[in-house]
């Protein structure tokens, strides 16, 4: 988890025979090397999580452990145990100080993840100072209170470590394992040993002297043949274990063809190509919140995608993303597909990342959208690591109403749009919500953020059902085409698309309505399609969204106008807050008329 120790990890990967040659070790932190400053998933063979922001790896390891428990419950049989691995996380003082680690560890204890082993490098030093300047808690006691088994060792005594590690591996007692390894940072470099000066390059100038004192060769980047031989021998043993496992696996596969197919599809991240058609049309007179529509859409998707799991941070009643009949994941039923995370949004998102790193299950989680800020560090890493998570974040914008500005995300949707490699989809009605969920499932090279409403929205029946669904997959589409010459474009998404339609109805034949539920998908479309939807020659453009306006100018241009919010919301019934803040058709009409008169 302590990703700043990346070279420690790279060195082990190199010595143990991963495809990480010494030439890459020498190119540490250089352009396009396989040894970036902090470990990045997908960049370096053997790196299983992107770490660096302290605490995240702890959460990831809990998520990986959850996934292994789920996998064992879903795929093992009485006769064949194909999944029974341990998950080991090396963590530091900084990791254990971070709140996200506390959230994740509380859940690890609660769920009894007894295949999870933390090795806590307790060197009592952080970056600025000795750790005692900033902590006086007894971390072991804290972990015990969470439900961990705790052992304490001298981290420089390899035999002590091995003994403790083997105890932890064998315990199998319904408790995650925590090994406190007391260590001395910078050991062997007397000038910095045991102090925070051992960080970074402060100790580098003493390294040659330290080598000498330790009796090591003077050559830099030196690994003795003995060490390579040791690992080569160890690899043989592991390969023999692997072959044994493969026998079990092959026999399991022959006897359980359905499970085997499900497993293969999960690992390939296969998504049914006919997912869209598996979701029934909504009744034309439905008047549903998109969160409610989402809950309905989720059910056939969950049936078609048996490895989809769906969690919520104590808000299933509001986020409506419970998989019916899927059961709750817990120590008694690790096969459950719903995960109750409690009020731990950050922990939830770090754990979702872990589930995705594991590589078998499709991870999704839910909370109120305004709490995106609690989740952001993990969401950002999901985007960076290209994890196919789905965030089902509901209660968007000032439509939330009575709960007031603390619960009304006015800047959140746009702030996530600014993040690279995450799709933000803000559907306008139940049919667009179908497209949004299917789009999230179909995307396997990065996360999708679904922005759903608390309040009911009308069905946009004037637009063909398939156009609404498939239009979302393209990110944007012409929802209402002008008759005759194109004079003006109104664009919108989410709960404000209805206002775009209402305004267009008042403004005459030359007005086009464009639905833009997902900027990222739209921007990935070929230029020709984008030009078709938003022709360059039409500069009279109005956008409306109940959120901050800036990001819309990429579509509206300097000649256009955006109706949006420039301040926080208010506590009152949602429609009144919308009216008070000027989010309605009339404001679109006024802006459009001003443009048309130019
Ligand atoms: C969330 C987060 N905050 C701050 C940092 C910057 N940082 C990198 S290393 C470090 C000190 C870490 O101390 P510790 O975890 O004890 O590691 P060790 O001293 O063992 O190297 C800090 C503050 C970070 N990587 N992540």
């Amino acid at each position: 988890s302590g990703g700043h120790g990346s070279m420690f990890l790279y060195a082990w990967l190199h010595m143990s025979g991963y495809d990480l040659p010494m030439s890459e070790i020498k190119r540490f932190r250089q352009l396009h090397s396989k040894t970036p400053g902090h470990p990045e998933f997908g960049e370096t063979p053997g790196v299983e999580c992107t770490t660096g922001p302290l605490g995240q790896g702890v959460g990831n390891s809990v998520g990986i452990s959850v996934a292994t428990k789920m996998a064992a419950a879903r795929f093992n049989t009485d006769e064949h145990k194909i999944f029974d691995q341990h998950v080991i996380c090396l963590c530091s003082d900084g990791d254990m100080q971070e709140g996200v680690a506390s959230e994740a560890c509380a859940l690890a204890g609660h769920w009894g993840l007894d295949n999870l082993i933390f090795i806590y490098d307790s060197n009592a030093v952080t970056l600025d100072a000795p750790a005692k300047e900033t902590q006086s808690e007894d971390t072991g006691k804290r972990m015990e209170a969470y439900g961990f088994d705790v052992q304490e060792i001298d981290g420089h005594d390899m035999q002590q470590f091995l003994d403790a590690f083997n105890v932890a591996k064998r315990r199998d007692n319904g408790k995650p394992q925590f090994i406190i390894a007391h260590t001395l940072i910078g050991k062997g470099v007397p000038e910095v040993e045991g102090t925070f000066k051992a960080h970074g390059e402060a100790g580098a100038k003493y390294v040659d002297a330290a080598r000498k004192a330790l009796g090591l060769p003077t050559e830099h980047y030196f690994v003795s043949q003995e060490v390579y031989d040791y690992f080569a021998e160890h690899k043989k043993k592991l390969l023999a274990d692997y072959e044994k496992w493969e026998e079990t696996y092959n026999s399991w596969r022959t006897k359980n063809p359905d499970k085997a197919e499900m497993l293969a599809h999960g690992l390939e991240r296969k998504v049914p190509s006919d997912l869209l058609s598996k979701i029934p049309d909504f009744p034309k007179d439905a008047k549903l919140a998109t969160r409610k529509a989402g809950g309905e859409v989720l059910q056939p998707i969950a049936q078609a995608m048996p490895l989809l799991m769906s969690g919520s941070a104590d808000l299933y009643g509001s986020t409506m993303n419970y998989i019916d009949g899927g059961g709750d994941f817990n120590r008694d039923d690790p096969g459950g597909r719903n995960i109750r995370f409690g009020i731990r949004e950050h922990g939830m998102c770090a754990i979702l990342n872990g589930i995705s790193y594991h590589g078998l299950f499709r991870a999704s989680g839910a909370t109120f959208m305004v709490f995106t800020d609690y989740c952001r560090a993990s969401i950002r890493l999901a985007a960076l690591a290209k994890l196919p998570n789905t965030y089902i974040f509901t209660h968007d914008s000032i439509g939330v109403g009575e709960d007031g500005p603390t619960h009304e995300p006015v800047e959140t949707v746009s702030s996530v749009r600014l993040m690279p490699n995450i799709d933000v989809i803000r559907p306008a009605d139940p049919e667009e919500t179908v497209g949004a969920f299917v789009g999230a499932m179909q995307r396997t090279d990065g996360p999708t953020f679904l922005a759903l409403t608390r309040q009911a929205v009308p069905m946009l029946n004037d637009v063909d059902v398939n156009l609404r669904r498939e239009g979302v997959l393209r990110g944007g589409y012409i929802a209402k085409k002008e008759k005759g010459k194109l004079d003006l474009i109104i664009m919108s998404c989410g709960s404000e698309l209805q206002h775009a339609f209402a305004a267009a109805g008042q403004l005459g034949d030359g007005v086009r309505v464009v639905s833009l539920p997902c900027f990222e998908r739209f921007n990935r479309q070929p230029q020709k399609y984008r030009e078709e939807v938003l022709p360059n020659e039409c500069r009279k453009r109005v956008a409306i969204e109940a959120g901050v306006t800036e990001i819309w100018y990429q579509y509206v241009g300097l000649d256009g106008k955006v109706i949006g919010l420039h301040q926080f919301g208010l506590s009152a019934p949602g429609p009144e807050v919308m009216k008070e803040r000027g989010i309605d058709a009339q404001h679109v009409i006024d802006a459009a008329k001003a443009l048309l008169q130019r």
Side-chain angles (χ1 to χ4, degrees):
S1 184
H4 61 284
S6 55
M7 183 43 83
F8 179 75
L9 176 59
Y10 298 147
W12 283 104
L13 292 174
H14 167 74
M15 292 186 296
S16 58
Y18 280 83
D19 180 19
L20 194 62
M22 190 60 95
S23 54
E24 289 296 328
I25 300 285
K26 289 181 180 171
R27 295 209 311 124
F28 185 41
R29 293 171 169 249
Q30 300 307 307
L31 192 65
H32 303 314
S33 75
K34 284 186 186 174
T35 48
H38 293 87
E40 293 177 38
F41 179 70
E43 296 294 325
T44 313
V47 166
E48 292 168 323
C49 300
T50 297
T51 56
L54 290 163
Q56 293 294 329
V58 170
N60 298 159
S61 67
V62 174
I64 295 172
S65 170
V66 165
T68 60
K69 291 281 181 186
M70 280 183 166
R74 300 280 294 273
F75 293 97
N76 286 353
T77 60
D78 289 344
E79 195 181 352
H80 296 108
K81 222 174 170 187
I82 58 164
F83 290 118
D84 70 343
Q85 64 266 60
H86 284 96
V87 180
I88 292 140
C89 172
L90 183 59
C91 55
S92 65
D93 294 308
D95 283 311
M96 297 319 294
Q97 286 185 356
E98 288 289 351
V100 64
S102 303
E103 292 181 19
C105 287
L107 285 167
H110 177 67
W111 290 327
L113 301 175
D114 54 11
N115 66 344
L116 179 60
I117 303 172
F118 286 108
I119 303 164
Y120 169 32
D121 171 29
S122 173
N123 59 25
V125 166
T126 62
L127 209 55
D128 271 353
K132 71 172 170 18
E133 298 288 333
T134 54
Q135 66 179 44
S136 44
E137 76 215 42
D138 183 331
T139 304
K141 286 250 158 54
R142 182 159 67 89
M143 299 305 283
E144 247 171 49
Y146 288 147
F148 281 62
D149 265 340
V150 178
Q151 302 180 69
E152 206 157 348
I153 58 158
D154 170 359
H156 296 292
D157 182 330
M158 290 302 108
Q159 193 55 50
Q160 264 193 46
F161 170 71
L162 205 57
D163 292 346
F165 189 58
N166 284 330
V167 166
K169 268 172 109 173
R170 286 194 207 108
R171 267 211 176 121
D172 222 7
N173 60 352
K175 289 179 166 202
Q177 304 292 312
F178 194 70
I179 301 173
I180 304 173
H182 293 287
T183 58
L184 197 60
I185 194 168
K187 185 170 160 57
V189 189
E191 292 85 348
V192 297
E193 194 175 78
T195 76
F196 56 90
K197 291 190 193 119
H199 280 117
E201 293 180 13
K205 53 182 178 280
Y206 309 116
V207 162
D208 284 337
R211 258 178 226 281
K212 232 185 217 163
L214 290 167
L216 294 171
T218 50
E219 190 186 332
H220 285 200
Y221 299 103
F222 175 80
V223 179
S224 72
Q225 193 54 45
E226 209 183 333
V227 168
Y228 283 129
D229 290 347
Y230 169 82
F231 278 106
E233 203 50 42
H234 190 59
K235 191 170 171 180
K236 277 190 206 152
K237 185 195 159 301
L238 294 179
L239 277 173
D241 288 351
Y242 178 72
E243 274 166 26
K244 239 167 68 200
W245 177 84
E246 236 183 358
E247 272 172 34
T248 312
Y249 167 74
N250 285 333
S251 156
W252 169 86
R253 193 175 57 176
T254 314
K255 294 209 170 151
N256 303 280
D258 292 348
K259 279 184 196 284
E261 189 184 44
M262 194 196 294
L263 179 63
H265 286 178
L267 293 172
E268 287 164 29
R269 297 278 191 223
K270 212 165 166 176
V271 181
S273 54
D274 57 350
L275 200 53
L276 211 51
S277 64
K278 287 186 188 297
I279 303 162
D281 291 3
F282 281 90
K284 289 213 179 320
D285 60 350
K287 197 161 167 44
L288 298 174
T290 53
R291 64 177 164 135
K292 176 90 174 81
E296 293 187 20
V297 170
L298 180 65
Q299 306 312 324
I301 290 181
Q303 265 180 23
M305 296 182 62
L307 298 179
L308 172 68
M309 54 69 48
S310 184
S312 188
D314 200 45
L315 284 171
Y316 277 122
S318 300
T319 54
M320 300 183 162
N321 63 315
Y322 194 88
I323 297 175
D324 296 339
D328 286 2
F329 171 87
N330 56 46
R331 62 169 75 217
D332 299 321
D333 181 13
R337 296 175 66 185
N338 298 287
I339 302 188
R340 297 182 183 277
F341 286 99
I343 306 98
R344 300 184 183 93
E345 296 81 9
H346 197 179
M348 169 174 78
C349 288
I351 289 170
L352 293 180
N353 287 358
I355 293 171
S356 284
Y357 284 130
H358 173 267
L360 178 56
F361 296 95
R362 284 300 297 268
S364 72
T367 184
F368 286 156
M369 192 186 303
V370 81
F371 304 135
T372 299
D373 295 320
Y374 278 23
C375 306
R376 195 174 295 265
S378 300
I379 295 178
R380 184 175 186 277
L381 287 174
L384 175 63
K386 305 190 175 81
L387 303 179
N389 298 351
T390 302
Y391 303 105
I392 303 170
F393 283 13
T394 66
H395 294 61
D396 106 324
S397 189
I398 52 175
V400 165
E402 289 84 347
D403 273 349
T406 54
H407 283 55
E408 291 169 348
V410 297
E411 79 291 17
T412 310
V413 169
S414 270
S415 73
V416 182
R417 285 173 179 148
L418 288 175
M419 195 184 279
N421 199 37
I422 180 165
D423 284 3
V424 177
I425 312 185
R426 189 166 178 260
D429 83 342
E431 294 300 348
E432 279 204 358
T433 306
V434 174
F437 271 75
V438 169
M441 294 302 126
Q442 285 177 345
R443 179 158 197 240
T444 55
D445 60 355
T448 300
F449 180 102
L450 301 176
L452 306 179
T453 65
R454 174 197 179 211
Q455 76 275 24
V457 289
M459 292 287 286
L460 301 172
N461 292 318
D462 289 345
V463 189
D464 175 71
V465 171
N466 288 331
L467 180 57
R468 269 176 284 166
R469 291 177 167 206
E470 285 163 17
V472 173
L473 298 177
R474 287 194 293 270
Y477 65 99
I478 302 171
K480 181 183 183 190
K481 195 156 168 57
E482 68 284 357
K483 287 198 191 103
K485 185 174 150 291
L486 173 62
D487 296 324
L488 181 130
I489 300 170
I490 305 173
M491 57 191 93
S492 188
C493 68
S495 47
E496 292 72 65
L497 188 62
Q498 57 183 304
H499 301 319
F501 272 101
Q506 304 275 313
L507 285 164
D509 286 348
V511 175
R512 171 182 294 192
V513 176
V514 168
S515 175
L516 267 175
C518 180
F519 293 6
E520 300 78 16
R521 280 180 171 267
F522 184 67
N523 292 350
R524 290 200 293 270
Q525 295 302 313
Q527 163 65 20
K528 186 166 168 290
Y529 177 73
R530 283 182 283 137
E531 170 65 21
E532 240 171 75
V533 176
L534 297 175
N536 205 21
E537 74 202 18
C538 178
R539 299 296 178 94
K540 293 182 176 170
R541 302 173 176 200
V542 181
I544 176 166
E545 181 173 60
V548 295
T549 57
E550 288 77 1
I551 203 165
W552 281 93
Y553 283 95
Q554 66 183 300
Y555 302 120
V556 158
L558 295 179
D559 298 334
K561 168 102 181 146
V562 186
I563 314 291
L565 299 173
H566 304 280
Q567 56 191 320
F568 290 113
L570 295 161
S571 170
E576 283 177 43
V577 184
M578 286 281 190
K579 189 154 180 281
E580 179 71 17
R581 289 286 187 249
I583 303 297
D584 57 18
Q586 192 54 50
H587 282 79
V588 179
I589 293 168
D590 294 346
K593 281 188 174 159
L595 286 178
L596 287 168
Q597 277 162 16
R598 262 195 213 159

